[in-house]
Amino acid sequence: MSAVVLRGFGWRHAGRRAWAVRDVDLRIDHGERVLLLGPSGAGKSTLLAALAGLLPGDSGEQAGTVEIDGRSPAAARDRVGIVFQDPQTQLVMARSGDDVAFGLENRGVPAAAIWPRVSDALDRVGFPYPITRSTAALSGGEAQRLALAGVLALRPGLLLLDEPTANLDPAGADLVREAIVRSRDDDTTLILVEHRVAEALPLVDRVVVLEAGGGIRADGTPEMVFAAYGDRLADEGVWVPGFRFPPLKSGSAAAGSVVRAEDITVAHRVRGVSMSVGEGEVLAVTGPNGAGKSTLALVLGGLLAPTGGEVSAFGDPKPPHKWRAATLTSRIGSVFQNPEHQFVTSRVADELAVGPRRLGRTGTEITGIVDALLDRLRLTKLAAANPYTLSGGEARRLSVATALATAPRLLVLDEPTFGQDRRTWIELVTLLATLRDEGHAVVAVTHDDDFVQTLADRTLPLTSARLHEPLPQRRRS
């Protein structure tokens, strides 16, 4: 077990004027299970990083103090486990079992105890593959389960979870939530960041709400917090239970076909998929983790060549993956599952200028495009920030904005609503509906059922791709 004490804690990232989080006074006792809420950008992920000892002094400015069992986070790392918003950042080994064993080996756990603990942790999270599975072959949701298994195997006294079910299919999310509940038997202290409050409430006994400008808005039992602050929290973007949004379906049939795939296959990832999407249509691609949804998105976006089948788009005789970069950029905008994988500059505004500049737009035109997108996606205050210091929700909005910067007629989005609070979710879904009504075609890979029910005009469910041939495995050294 671990107790957490923060006194006047604040953190400002290097090069940023605004504090990511500030004036936090908080005590969490041994064994408590806390849901940390607040609008996107309120500092939730930064607070978790501070508790995990992952904010070195040369990366920013700290105010106040943080203690875990009376020690600094750096000195208490052996008692803390964290799962990040992007699980790919904490996978370090080539094989899945080795990745879970890595932390145990570093902690000096006796060799005879390591592999039973690895197997137990993988079973807890419902990991669907043998321990020899290549980590490079995992989908985003499968990587998320593996990262959680690696942390649970360490049996930490303080467990920090940043959106642990965001990229999971419903069955996988249920398994992860069950694993979190079972960790209660270990008397683990839990701090959970999760936008979808209704699903998280059974896991916690206390709710803490961060104030966007600094400090703590509310702290108490879920019943007390939502009774006293529910309406105000909903207005400010928190996903309070019972949220519903009216459907934004298209009022007319799709015109023509923007992109079409015929019997697409990608070795070991996608098999025999046929689909099309037309102008003025939103197509949601759904299915379990590992079904090949993200791979299909890369193929449709012209970023990956299929190993079988054909892809045609915009009447061009060449498939998208053979187009010149400028042609692809002007026609198709892609948003990756992990936003950081597509950032190429050190400033948010510069990131938005890359596409228009590649298309030969003038300086005046580029400035107008950038300013409009910053305003539309609530990023104006972050124009000078480094994209890699953004919160998960902010990074997702930036990746969507970069896709829109060249005004493409086809948008291919992988988990477009990941990390969004209620307010930015509504704004993003409304923006996509507007683009659809203006004649754009949208393909969205998603596990977000609210997104599907609200916006999707059609749904393409993919079945599991786990019958594919196993990938070559490296021998364990």
Side-chain angles (χ1 to χ4, degrees), residues 141-163:
E142 291 165 346
Q144 204 150 12
R145 280 196 244 178
L146 181 63
L148 178 60
V151 170
L152 292 180
L154 297 173
R155 298 173 183 170
L158 174 61
L159 180 59
L160 309 171
L161 301 178
D162 198 348
E163 302 255 20

Side-chain angles (χ1 to χ4, degrees), residues 329-474:
T329 300
S330 65
R331 291 175 174 176
I332 304 177
S334 290
V335 172
F336 300 162
Q337 189 175 67
N338 299 312
E340 296 84 358
H341 292 179
Q342 65 191 93
F343 297 154
V344 296
T345 75
S346 59
R347 293 177 74 252
V348 167
D350 293 342
E351 200 70 38
L352 296 176
V354 170
R357 186 173 293 115
R358 180 176 294 159
L359 296 182
R361 301 289 187 260
T362 66
T364 301
E365 290 173 330
I366 292 173
T367 299
I369 292 169
V370 169
D371 289 346
L373 287 171
L374 289 171
D375 179 67
R376 199 168 192 180
L377 277 300
R378 286 185 178 269
L379 296 169
T380 301
K381 293 182 179 179
L382 298 169
N386 188 312
Y388 295 97
T389 66
L390 302 182
S391 72
E394 291 164 349
R396 169 56 72 214
R397 295 202 301 282
L398 176 57
S399 65
V400 171
T402 60
L404 297 177
T406 57
R409 301 303 293 174
L410 170 62
L411 290 170
V412 181
L413 315 173
D414 198 343
E415 299 291 356
T417 56
F418 168 76
Q420 300 307 305
D421 62 30
R422 179 180 181 270
R423 178 174 55 187
T424 56
W425 186 95
I426 292 172
E427 291 171 350
L428 190 54
V429 168
T430 302
L431 170 60
L432 294 176
T434 300
L435 292 170
R436 185 266 320 277
D437 294 343
E438 292 173 352
H440 294 260
V442 179
V443 178
V445 169
T446 185
H447 289 300
D448 183 350
D449 187 61
D450 288 326
F451 177 91
V452 174
Q453 298 302 320
T454 301
L455 187 61
D457 302 306
R458 285 192 300 122
T459 302
L460 173 67
L462 296 188
T463 56
S464 174
R466 292 178 190 141
L467 296 178
H468 294 173
E469 303 87 347
L471 293 172
Q473 307 294 341
R474 298 183 186 178

Side-chain angles (χ1 to χ4, degrees), residues 263-331:
D263 200 26
I264 288 298
T265 295
V266 178
H268 316 302
R269 300 181 185 179
V270 174
R271 179 174 294 168
V273 174
S274 297
M275 52 75 65
S276 67
V277 63
E279 295 178 355
E281 181 179 31
V282 175
L283 174 69
V285 181
T286 64
N289 294 124
K293 302 183 299 297
S294 295
T295 300
L296 177 62
L298 292 174
V299 172
L300 296 176
L303 303 173
L304 179 68
T307 55
E310 296 181 353
V311 181
S312 58
F314 294 93
D316 196 310
K318 294 181 180 179
H321 70 272
K322 291 187 176 181
W323 295 348
R324 293 174 59 251
T327 301
L328 183 65
T329 300
S330 65
R331 291 175 174 176

Side-chain angles (χ1 to χ4, degrees), residues 171-343:
D174 287 342
L175 285 168
V176 166
R177 284 190 283 266
E178 290 172 11
I180 295 170
V181 169
R182 284 198 294 271
S183 71
R184 183 174 306 177
D185 299 335
D186 304 326
D187 292 323
T188 302
T189 304
L190 171 70
I191 302 178
L192 169 68
V193 171
E194 184 67 79
H195 278 293
R196 299 310 175 102
V197 174
E199 290 82 358
L201 286 181
L203 308 177
V204 302
D205 46 42
R206 178 180 172 190
V207 174
V208 174
V209 183
L210 292 184
E211 188 78 71
I216 291 176
R217 162 76 59 78
D219 183 356
T221 66
E223 295 79 10
M224 183 276 287
V225 169
F226 291 116
Y229 298 94
D231 291 343
R232 184 177 174 188
L233 291 174
D235 290 340
E236 295 179 356
V238 175
W239 285 94
V240 298
F243 163 75
R244 290 291 182 271
F245 192 67
L248 296 173
K249 308 288 187 178
S250 176
S252 57
S257 175
V258 174
V259 63
R260 179 180 299 274
E262 298 286 350
D263 200 26
I264 288 298
T265 295
V266 178
H268 316 302
R269 300 181 185 179
V270 174
R271 179 174 294 168
V273 174
S274 297
M275 52 75 65
S276 67
V277 63
E279 295 178 355
E281 181 179 31
V282 175
L283 174 69
V285 181
T286 64
N289 294 124
K293 302 183 299 297
S294 295
T295 300
L296 177 62
L298 292 174
V299 172
L300 296 176
L303 303 173
L304 179 68
T307 55
E310 296 181 353
V311 181
S312 58
F314 294 93
D316 196 310
K318 294 181 180 179
H321 70 272
K322 291 187 176 181
W323 295 348
R324 293 174 59 251
T327 301
L328 183 65
T329 300
S330 65
R331 291 175 174 176
I332 304 177
S334 290
V335 172
F336 300 162
Q337 189 175 67
N338 299 312
E340 296 84 358
H341 292 179
Q342 65 191 93
F343 297 154

Side-chain angles (χ1 to χ4, degrees), residues 19-252:
W19 290 76
V21 62
R22 196 170 193 179
D23 299 328
V24 174
D25 292 294
L26 179 66
R27 179 182 178 88
I28 298 173
D29 291 322
H30 292 294
E32 282 197 286
R33 310 176 75 79
V34 176
L35 175 62
L36 188 63
L37 292 180
S40 179
K44 302 182 294 295
S45 296
T46 301
L47 185 56
L48 293 193
L51 293 173
L54 299 176
L55 296 178
D58 60 357
S59 68
E61 176 185 353
Q62 178 175 322
T65 61
V66 183
E67 292 181 354
I68 299 171
D69 289 337
R71 298 185 291 169
S72 70
R77 280 178 181 161
D78 61 334
R79 298 290 296 142
V80 180
I82 184 170
V83 177
F84 304 131
Q85 282 183 330
D86 178 7
Q88 299 286 354
T89 61
Q90 63 190 104
L91 301 184
V92 296
M93 302 297 286
R95 303 195 313 176
S96 296
D98 294 344
D99 200 85
V100 179
F102 180 77
L104 298 172
E105 292 170 343
N106 282 342
R107 295 276 176 90
V109 174
I114 288 178
W115 290 99
R117 284 172 66 167
V118 169
S119 296
D120 175 67
L122 290 172
D123 287 344
R124 279 193 183 197
V125 301
F127 189 71
Y129 301 113
I131 60 175
T132 55
R133 181 69 172 180
S134 168
T135 54
L138 301 178
S139 71
E142 291 165 346
Q144 204 150 12
R145 280 196 244 178
L146 181 63
L148 178 60
V151 170
L152 292 180
L154 297 173
R155 298 173 183 170
L158 174 61
L159 180 59
L160 309 171
L161 301 178
D162 198 348
E163 302 255 20
T165 64
N167 286 326
L168 297 178
D169 58 53
D174 287 342
L175 285 168
V176 166
R177 284 190 283 266
E178 290 172 11
I180 295 170
V181 169
R182 284 198 294 271
S183 71
R184 183 174 306 177
D185 299 335
D186 304 326
D187 292 323
T188 302
T189 304
L190 171 70
I191 302 178
L192 169 68
V193 171
E194 184 67 79
H195 278 293
R196 299 310 175 102
V197 174
E199 290 82 358
L201 286 181
L203 308 177
V204 302
D205 46 42
R206 178 180 172 190
V207 174
V208 174
V209 183
L210 292 184
E211 188 78 71
I216 291 176
R217 162 76 59 78
D219 183 356
T221 66
E223 295 79 10
M224 183 276 287
V225 169
F226 291 116
Y229 298 94
D231 291 343
R232 184 177 174 188
L233 291 174
D235 290 340
E236 295 179 356
V238 175
W239 285 94
V240 298
F243 163 75
R244 290 291 182 271
F245 192 67
L248 296 173
K249 308 288 187 178
S250 176
S252 57

